[in-house]
Amino acid sequence: MCAENSGPRPLFDEVQVRRALKLIDEKGPIGRKRLVDFLGIGEGSVRTILDRLKDKGFISSSSRGHEITEEGRECLDEGLEFLRVDVGDLTVGDVDVATVVKGVSDLVDKGIEQRDEAIKVGTDGATVLVFEDGELVLPEDLGGVEEEVGSELLDNFELSDGDVVIIGTGNSVLDAERGAWAAADSLM
């Protein structure tokens, strides 16, 4: 996708790379120190993220700061969108963030694999919902979701049969996004 990692394991992940690109798009031109503050990671990690984004042609840099390029905007358009949601007791964390992976419901068994991927990256987990016959249901015929939860998700996402909604959950928006990303990545 937008960032490929090789060599030693970095101290950041795809969610932070996408957040950096999105911040540059929204607030650019923006300097490295402001990105450090926004992302909550070290200056060395931000420098590495910026170098990778520059190498891919997604940003340009000048004395005014970093700005997104057309290629960078296209990358943002291709990726997952994250939306903070309130799904009540459907999840276990304090903060929930949802995303959609289109047309992959046949890859979902019970959703446990996706939950485990979210936990592996240090979040509270992920909940998987499948869109079929016009409603959101838990995988493996475990039933539908409460109407108010389903309607919030349906109001915010354009869903088709076979789409999967993943709700990452954690103690912060970044944690919840990281969990949603890890769970979604297991289906892509």
Side-chain angles (χ1 to χ4, degrees):
M1 182 155 208
C2 292
E4 296 171 14
N5 299 326
S6 60
R9 186 164 187 241
L11 299 175
F12 56 87
D13 56 29
E14 178 69 18
V15 171
Q16 289 157 320
V17 173
R18 289 194 57 76
R19 287 183 116 212
L21 191 56
K22 193 169 186 172
L23 283 166
I24 293 167
D25 183 35
E26 293 170 356
K27 301 187 181 299
I30 186 172
R32 185 176 64 236
K33 291 187 189 286
R34 281 192 62 208
L35 281 170
V36 166
D37 293 339
F38 279 117
L39 295 172
I41 58 178
E43 192 168 339
S45 293
V46 170
R47 189 177 306 114
T48 301
I49 289 171
L50 292 170
D51 287 345
R52 289 181 182 177
L53 291 173
K54 247 187 280 187
D55 289 346
K56 290 182 172 283
F58 294 156
I59 63 170
S60 63
S61 301
S62 69
S63 60
R64 298 177 343 132
H66 306 281
E67 295 183 81
I68 195 164
T69 63
E70 258 326 294
E71 291 169 347
R73 280 194 187 88
E74 288 173 16
C75 177
L76 280 178
D77 290 344
E78 290 174 5
L80 296 172
E81 290 297 320
F82 297 100
L83 175 71
R84 185 167 180 183
V85 294
D86 179 7
V87 293
D89 295 335
L90 187 62
T91 63
V92 296
D94 296 330
V95 178
D96 299 318
V97 173
T99 193
V100 175
V101 184
K102 295 288 195 181
V104 295
S105 65
D106 57 325
L107 300 177
V108 175
D109 185 20
K110 295 180 181 173
I112 294 169
E113 299 84 359
Q114 289 72 40
R115 179 207 61 198
D116 290 349
E117 291 302 315
I119 290 170
K120 284 180 192 175
V121 297
T123 68
D124 291 341
T127 300
V128 176
L129 303 173
V130 174
F131 189 73
E132 59 185 40
D133 298 326
E135 67 177 335
L136 285 166
V137 296
L138 293 162
E140 289 291 304
D141 297 322
L142 296 175
V145 298
E146 295 176 26
E147 189 174 325
E148 65 268 5
V149 170
S151 66
E152 178 177 4
L153 295 170
L154 292 172
D155 288 347
N156 287 292
F157 293 114
E158 200 170 300
L159 301 173
S160 302
D161 279 355
D163 291 349
V164 175
V165 175
I166 296 176
I167 306 165
T169 188
N171 294 322
S172 69
V173 171
L174 184 58
D175 280 347
E177 282 183 13
R178 186 177 294 119
W181 173 261
D185 192 44
S186 73
L187 295 172
M188 296 188 293

